[in-house]
């Protein structure tokens, strides 16, 4: 097993009385695309800046490989940064911008010329050497910022919301591009973003952060399919959470009884022992059936809840339903429009329906309820 | 009128420029022409001045007052270097380390302007007097010789001018430094530049516009100053070209020579500014 590239050991950062990063420990493996995801003020950027050397730690140790770099200035750390607004040097040409790091390390001119050309080819901007940063579009500046950092072949590349200033279409394109480049150069990326979709698209692993701590860490599908806290469930997409208590469990499934007596099943592994829990299910895992005999027979082995359609909105790829269940709680359902075409074929408002989903798609959260002061994710919610 | 403007929209910018252009025409171009005209006249106050197109007056005064011209340029140069040395760190500290005290510090920089230029210079004369409380105390304590003096030396004049024009350098320098995105400095240190290299490669080149403006705002008035030379100097050895103009004009009533000296100073400064601009041309002045 190769040694990790970055290790944070119980790192804390305080600004006056404010704790920005709180006793954080973290390991990033070699070659990994690692994201730190969270709302603004969660400590993700501060953590990145401490790794880069732009902020001093209040407590704790930072390792690059096996070297303790906690007290080293940025220019003695084998990491490079792509800054949020690119921070290209406005008085230098693109060539001199990209060559900046190599020049400081006294690489011979011929070698610099060769490497700059290679880098500009990698970011698909060959021939831009003589231009100035202000002559480039946002997307192009972003690529130059990437080239300027990558040319130094750092052990780790730090990216601080590098796509934040780009429009949606360009952002999507650059996400794919970034992932391609990362795979091509094989350098460890640590990526900071508040956009859950961006993090999910590119990352091998994501640390969801909140109040200076890691709320949950894992591959994107783990975080999405099996969030362990309300915050993660709410930050990564939409989720329906229903209160209940654990009524029993076997090897595969635990039974959770809702206040109205309905029993739902969830994977045993997701139940951690707390008696009062919340059962969660993602909107796209739910099926909506009109309440007929056919529906009851189709429900075998599935979790079911009966309710009334409050609202149906047709949005092209899917139809969104708001369904009120017996307890009065409202659940969101995204139904793919596979066999339907047009709003006319959707379930009408007021119709009694049965929601069904597979027990495997159920997750259980045992932690304390989410506090209302938490920020919502800034990215839009996609169907 | 409104209808006519609507049809000639392109003229609107020129209309906006009109008051300024008229102002300059009346208060700059006309006096310049008048001055050039006076310079080439001959005569005395008693007999009256006649226009004789005597261009020989220029080499004449240039030759006669060469030491004063040179002294003025020398003092102004030293003053400018001193203001850069003192003012740059000041502006840098306020811009990058001022934090929430920025405005207070800037207020302190311009505070001297709340008192008249002449009054301030006179109070320096009082402070630095041979038996004033600074030198008097030092002499009583035996730290400096009884004969030691500051007033009436070139150092006094240069210090006075430096003190008086420091804010003119600090303010444009501050504005230029303040505009620099600190992340550029971080980016430089991220790319293996030490703090000194980051300063030399990023901060300094990006602050050139402020350095240019600030040093000109110091050098030009410093070269023409006569108050400091008069009040803090006052000897023949500290006379600057401004004192020459003042004496010629107000004491001797020799208007042609006074005008000729003024014109030469102006042309010399203009040539100097253009040359200075060319030196810095290689840098990005527009950033």
């Amino acid at each position: 097993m190769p040694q990790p590239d970055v290790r944070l050991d119980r790192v804390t950062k305080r600004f006056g009385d404010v704790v920005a990063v709180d006793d954080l420990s973290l390991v990033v493996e070699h070659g990994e695309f690692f994201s730190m995801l969270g709302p603004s003020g969660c400590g993700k950027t501060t953590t990145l800046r401490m790794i880069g050397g732009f902020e001093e730690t209040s407590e704790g140790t930072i390792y690059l490989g096996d070297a303790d770099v906690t007290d080293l200035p940025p220019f003695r750390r084998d990491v490079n940064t792509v800054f949020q607004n690119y921070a290209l040097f406005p008085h230098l040409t693109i060539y001199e911008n990209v060559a900046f790091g190599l020049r400081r390390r006294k690489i011979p001119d011929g070698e610099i010329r060769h490497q700059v050309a290679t880098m500009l080819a990698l970011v698909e901007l060959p021939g831009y050497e003589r231009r100035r940063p202000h002559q480039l579009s946002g997307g192009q500046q972003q690529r130059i910022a990437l080239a300027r950092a990558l040319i130094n072949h750092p052990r780790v590349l730090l990216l601080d919301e590098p796509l934040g200033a780009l429009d949606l279409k360009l952002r999507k394109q650059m996400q794919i591009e970034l992932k391609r480049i990362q795979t091509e150069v094989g350098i460890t990326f640590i990526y900071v973003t508040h956009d859950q979709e961006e993090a999910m698209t590119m990352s091998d692993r994501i640390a969801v952060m909140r109040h200076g701590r890691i709320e949950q860490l894992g591959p994107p599908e783990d975080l999405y399919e099996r969030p362990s806290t309300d915050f993660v469930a709410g930050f990564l997409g939409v989720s329906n959470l229903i209160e209940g208590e654990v009524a029993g469990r076997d090897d595969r499934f635990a039974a959770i009884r809702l206040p109205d007596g309905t029993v739902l099943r969830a994977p045993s592994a997701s139940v951690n022992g707390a008696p009062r829990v919340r059962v969660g299910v993602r909107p796209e895992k739910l099926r909506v059936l009109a309440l007929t005999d056919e529906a009851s027979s189709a429900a075998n082995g599935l979790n079911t809840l009966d309710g009334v359609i409050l609202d149906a909105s047709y949005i092209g790829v899917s139809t969104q339903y708001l369904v009120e269940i017996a307890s009065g709680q409202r659940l969101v359902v995204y139904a793919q429009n596979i066999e339907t075409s047009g709003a006319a074929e959707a379930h009408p408002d007021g119709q009694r329906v049965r929601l069904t989903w597979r027990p495997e798609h159920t997750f259980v959260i045992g932690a304390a309820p989410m506090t209302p002061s938490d920020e919502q994710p800034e990215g839009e919610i996609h169907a | 009128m409104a209808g006519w403007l609507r049809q000639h929209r392109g003229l609107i910018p020129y209309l906006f420029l009109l008051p300024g252009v008229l102002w300059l025409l009346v208060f700059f171009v006309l006096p310049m022409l008048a001055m050039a005209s006076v310079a080439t006249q001959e005569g005395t106050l008693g007999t009256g001045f006649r226009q004789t197109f005597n261009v020989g007056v220029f080499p004449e005064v240039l030759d006669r007052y060469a030491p004063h011209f040179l002294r003025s340029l020398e003092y102004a140069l030293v003053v400018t270097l001193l203001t850069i040395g003192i003012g740059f760190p000041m502006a840098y500290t306020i811009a990058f380390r001022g934090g929430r005290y920025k405005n207070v510090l800037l207020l302190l920089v311009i505070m001297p302007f709340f008192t008249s230029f002449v009054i301030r210079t006179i109070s320096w004369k009082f402070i630095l007097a041979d038996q004033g409380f600074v030198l008097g105390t030092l002499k009583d304590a035996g730290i400096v010789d009884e004969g030691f003096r500051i007033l009436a030396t070139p150092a006094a004049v240069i210090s006075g001018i430096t003190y008086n024009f420091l804010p003119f350098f600090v303010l444009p320098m501050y504005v230029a430094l303040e505009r620099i995105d600190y992340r550029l400095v971080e980016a430089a240190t991220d790319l293996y530049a030490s703090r000194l290299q980051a300063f030399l490669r990023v901060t300094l080149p990006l602050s050139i516009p402020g350095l240019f403006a600030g040093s000109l705002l110091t050098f030009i008035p410093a070269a023409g100053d006569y108050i400091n030379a008069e009040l803090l100097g006052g000897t023949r050895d500290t006379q600057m070209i401004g004192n020459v103009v003042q004496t010629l004009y107000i004491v001797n009533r020799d208007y042609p020579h006074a005008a000729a000296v003024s014109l030469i100073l102006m042309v010399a400064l203009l040539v100097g500014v253009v040359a200075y601009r060319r030196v810095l041309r290689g840098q990005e002045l527009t950033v």
Side-chain angles (χ1 to χ4, degrees):
Chain A
M1 172 124 181
Q3 101 192 124
D5 265 344
V6 179
R7 191 153 65 83
L8 271 61
D9 187 24
R10 310 203 59 179
V11 169
T12 295
K13 175 67 185 180
R14 280 182 289 267
F15 295 103
D17 292 339
V18 181
V19 180
V21 176
D22 188 4
D23 197 21
L24 186 92
S25 294
L26 181 67
V27 171
V28 180
E29 301 295 344
H30 177 71
E32 194 173 23
F33 197 121
F34 186 91
S35 290
M36 292 190 280
L37 172 68
S40 53
C42 72
K44 57 191 192 300
T45 295
T46 306
T47 305
L48 194 80
R49 287 174 58 81
M50 285 193 290
I51 300 172
F54 305 115
E55 301 284 356
E56 290 174 12
T57 56
S58 303
E59 278 165 44
T61 316
I62 297 172
Y63 298 93
L64 289 180
D66 49 13
D68 176 354
V69 299
T70 316
D71 298 319
L72 292 185
F75 55 92
R76 294 203 199 288
R77 297 188 187 201
D78 193 11
V79 298
N80 290 111
T81 308
V82 177
F83 290 85
Q84 193 163 13
N85 287 48
Y86 323 133
L88 296 179
F89 304 122
H91 58 302
L92 299 179
T93 59
I94 296 308
Y95 181 89
E96 287 301 330
N97 264 280
V98 176
F100 197 92
L102 298 183
R103 286 223 189 281
R104 299 290 82 72
R105 289 187 299 162
K106 310 263 185 289
I107 309 287
D109 276 355
E111 178 64 21
I112 291 179
R113 258 196 303 284
H114 171 72
Q115 287 206 33
V116 171
T118 311
M119 263 309 138
L120 289 180
L122 179 75
V123 298
E124 293 172 346
L125 287 174
Y128 277 64
E129 285 90 343
R130 296 272 142 255
R131 306 218 190 168
R132 299 269 178 155
H134 66 87
Q135 295 170 309
L136 269 55
S137 71
Q140 290 172 331
Q141 290 186 31
Q142 210 284 321
R143 288 160 192 258
I144 295 303
L146 189 64
R148 185 179 70 172
L150 276 178
I151 198 168
N152 304 293
H153 299 286
R155 180 188 275 272
V156 180
L157 187 74
L158 307 175
L159 302 101
D160 185 8
E161 308 226 17
L163 308 183
L166 305 180
D167 64 53
L168 184 65
K169 197 176 161 201
L170 198 54
R171 204 153 69 214
K172 300 246 183 214
Q173 196 183 319
M174 281 305 297
Q175 287 171 11
I176 297 165
E177 193 84 337
L178 270 177
K179 186 67 189 170
R180 167 186 74 80
I181 289 170
Q182 196 255 343
T183 315
E184 212 166 306
V185 296
I187 290 174
T188 307
F189 277 32
I190 301 184
Y191 192 97
V192 157
T193 180
H194 63 256
D195 182 332
Q196 46 103 4
E197 198 184 313
E198 197 168 286
M200 305 251 301
T201 309
M202 296 184 288
S203 314
D204 297 314
R205 285 194 307 155
I206 301 172
V208 180
M209 292 187 63
R210 179 197 185 201
H211 300 333
R213 291 169 172 272
I214 293 178
E215 190 87 357
Q216 191 176 353
L217 193 158
E221 66 270 24
D222 272 15
L223 299 185
Y224 187 79
E225 302 289 344
R226 288 173 291 281
S228 61
T229 69
D230 296 284
F231 180 76
V232 176
F235 201 81
L236 292 163
V238 176
S239 60
N240 298 302
L241 293 174
I242 308 159
E243 305 263 350
E245 62 186 68
V246 179
R249 61 197 287 185
D250 59 25
D251 288 347
R252 287 187 63 209
F253 293 111
I256 290 132
R257 184 178 295 117
L258 307 189
D260 70 351
T262 315
V263 173
L264 300 175
R265 291 190 301 155
S268 274
S270 64
V271 178
N272 65 4
R276 306 265 333 149
V277 294
R278 267 169 316 251
V279 180
V281 61
R282 295 290 185 185
E284 73 279 7
K285 310 286 195 207
L286 293 166
R287 270 176 73 97
V288 186
L289 301 164
L291 206 52
T292 61
D293 292 343
E294 175 208 359
S296 53
S297 68
N300 272 340
L302 299 176
N303 283 332
T304 66
L305 280 172
D306 290 348
V308 179
I309 302 265
L310 286 186
D311 181 57
S313 28
Y314 173 77
I315 51 169
V317 291
S318 66
T319 302
Q320 277 188 32
Y321 294 105
L322 195 60
V323 178
E324 188 171 276
I325 57 171
S327 66
Q329 197 179 351
R330 289 161 185 196
L331 305 186
V332 179
V333 182
Y334 298 157
Q336 290 289 311
N337 291 327
I338 299 172
E339 275 140 27
T340 55
S341 56
E345 293 176 51
H347 297 280
D349 292 0
Q351 187 180 37
R352 293 193 51 78
V353 292
R354 172 160 292 174
L355 303 177
T356 70
W357 72 96
R358 296 169 55 166
E360 297 88 329
H361 293 158
T362 314
F363 56 86
V364 175
I365 291 169
M370 188 157 139
T371 50
S373 69
D374 271 306
E375 273 183 73
Q376 288 305 302
E378 289 163 53
E380 66 230 86
I381 294 161
H382 297 273
Chain B
M1 182 69 186
W4 184 85
L5 267 184
R6 213 164 294 129
Q7 282 166 21
H8 299 86
R9 278 193 162 278
L11 289 178
I12 290 177
Y14 297 101
L15 280 176
F16 283 157
L17 283 177
L18 201 59
V21 169
L22 283 177
W23 184 274
L24 282 177
L25 208 65
V26 173
F27 293 103
F28 180 72
V29 177
L30 291 182
M32 277 296 130
L33 293 174
M35 200 160 78
S37 154
V38 169
T40 51
Q41 292 178 12
E42 280 179 294
T44 64
L45 195 62
T47 59
F49 295 102
R50 270 187 321 112
Q51 180 57 269
T52 57
F53 300 102
N54 172 28
V55 289
V57 70
F58 295 111
E60 185 199 331
V61 295
L62 197 55
D63 186 52
R64 195 189 305 164
Y65 300 114
H68 300 89
F69 274 114
L70 288 177
R71 190 177 297 128
S72 287
L73 295 181
E74 181 196 320
Y75 283 9
L77 188 70
V78 175
V79 163
T80 307
L81 293 177
L82 278 173
T83 36
I84 293 174
I86 300 168
F88 192 96
M90 261 171 84
Y92 184 92
T93 308
I94 298 173
F96 288 120
R97 302 272 182 268
R100 59 205 174 94
Y101 298 110
K102 261 184 198 174
N103 289 330
V104 176
L105 292 170
L106 283 175
L107 187 70
L108 288 177
V109 169
I110 59 167
M111 198 70 113
F113 289 152
F114 289 94
T115 317
S116 141
F117 174 66
V118 177
I119 300 292
R120 275 182 287 134
T121 310
I122 289 175
S123 52
W124 273 109
K125 185 177 174 136
F126 174 71
I127 294 168
L128 298 177
D130 292 352
Q131 295 303 330
F133 69 82
V134 176
L135 286 187
T137 312
L138 288 174
K139 283 172 183 174
D140 290 348
I143 295 172
V144 297
D145 282 345
E146 199 54 43
F148 182 82
R149 61 185 320 194
I150 294 177
L151 285 185
T153 63
V157 178
I158 288 172
S159 308
I161 304 177
T162 304
Y163 157 76
N164 275 310
F165 293 120
L166 190 61
F168 291 113
F169 177 81
V170 172
L171 292 180
M173 198 66 244
Y174 165 80
V175 171
L177 287 167
E178 219 266 336
R179 281 174 60 194
I180 297 176
D181 184 352
Y182 192 71
R183 276 173 304 191
L184 295 176
V185 179
E186 287 189 341
T189 60
D190 184 62
L191 295 163
Y192 311 106
S194 64
R195 302 220 180 279
L196 178 66
Q197 283 175 323
F199 175 78
L200 294 176
R201 302 273 173 195
V202 177
T203 312
L204 193 58
L206 289 176
S207 68
I208 292 282
L211 199 65
F212 180 75
S215 51
L216 285 186
L217 284 178
T218 312
F219 185 87
I220 294 172
D225 177 83
Y226 65 95
I227 300 276
N228 287 278
E230 177 70 36
L231 294 177
L232 301 177
T235 70
R236 281 181 58 90
D237 296 341
T238 57
Q239 284 228 324
M240 294 172 69
I241 200 67
N243 303 94
V244 171
V245 175
Q246 197 216 7
T247 309
L248 284 175
Y249 192 86
I250 296 188
V251 181
N252 300 359
R253 304 292 166 117
D254 182 354
Y255 301 147
H257 284 97
V261 170
S262 300
L263 272 179
I264 290 174
L265 179 66
M266 207 187 81
V267 171
L269 287 175
L270 216 57
V271 170
V273 169
V274 171
Y276 186 44
R277 171 68 211 248
R278 288 190 82 90
V279 170
L280 292 179
R281 173 71 56 91
Q283 312 294 334
E284 191 74 24
L285 282 181
T286 52
V287 172

